[in-house]
Amino acid sequence: PPHLEALRRLTELRARQEKLTAYDVALECSDILRAYIEGRFALPIRYQTTREFLGAAQAHPELGAEPRRELGEFLAFFDGIKFAAGSAEPQQMRETIDGAERFVRRCIPAEPQPGPTP
């Protein structure tokens, strides 16, 4: 399932993040979230711009307003680092990875409950 792959990759990123630049962490964390969203919600967004990505997410029935808002904040933060040469403190990067993990965990589909046996 996409959530297991995303959680595995986030754990690996967290373990390496002290050795990486903010740019590298932002790039990888963004890729992890995009791959997860693409796999979980079947949205072909991995190589879209942030604006295109959020536009596609807007129309998805399983992706509510709060997760979309959160994604927008993640992507704006990542874009600031990737494209505007912004910087981030190590604590901010840890919090971002933690937030990405919380997002993935919130989006894990519920297990279907077994129905009554006939």
Side-chain angles (χ1 to χ4, degrees):
H3 66 274
L4 293 179
E5 177 66 11
L7 293 172
R8 181 192 62 74
R9 289 182 65 196
L10 287 166
T11 298
E12 289 174 359
L13 177 60
R14 185 178 288 107
R16 294 181 292 115
Q17 80 108 64
E18 295 292 331
K19 298 175 186 133
L20 301 173
T21 65
Y23 177 86
D24 291 332
V25 173
L27 196 65
E28 190 167 340
C29 200
S30 175
D31 184 63
I32 291 167
L33 282 177
R34 287 172 178 269
Y36 171 70
I37 295 295
E38 190 170 81
R40 164 66 175 89
F41 298 103
L43 289 170
I45 50 79
R46 195 149 186 204
Y47 301 106
Q48 292 180 339
T49 65
T50 296
R51 180 176 289 179
E52 292 167 333
F53 170 77
L54 292 174
Q58 197 74 4
H60 198 283
E62 286 186 75
L63 201 53
E66 183 62 22
R68 282 194 309 267
R69 181 198 60 74
E70 196 172 19
L71 278 173
E73 288 176 5
F74 277 128
L75 296 176
F77 178 74
F78 297 147
D79 286 354
I81 292 172
K82 292 188 308 188
F83 303 117
S87 63
E89 297 297 320
Q91 179 63 28
Q92 287 175 294
M93 297 314 298
R94 279 191 295 278
E95 290 170 1
T96 299
I97 295 168
D98 291 345
E101 181 178 335
R102 282 191 302 275
F103 175 82
V104 169
R105 289 187 184 283
R106 262 197 304 273
C107 292
I108 294 172
E111 291 291 323
Q113 298 300 313
T117 53

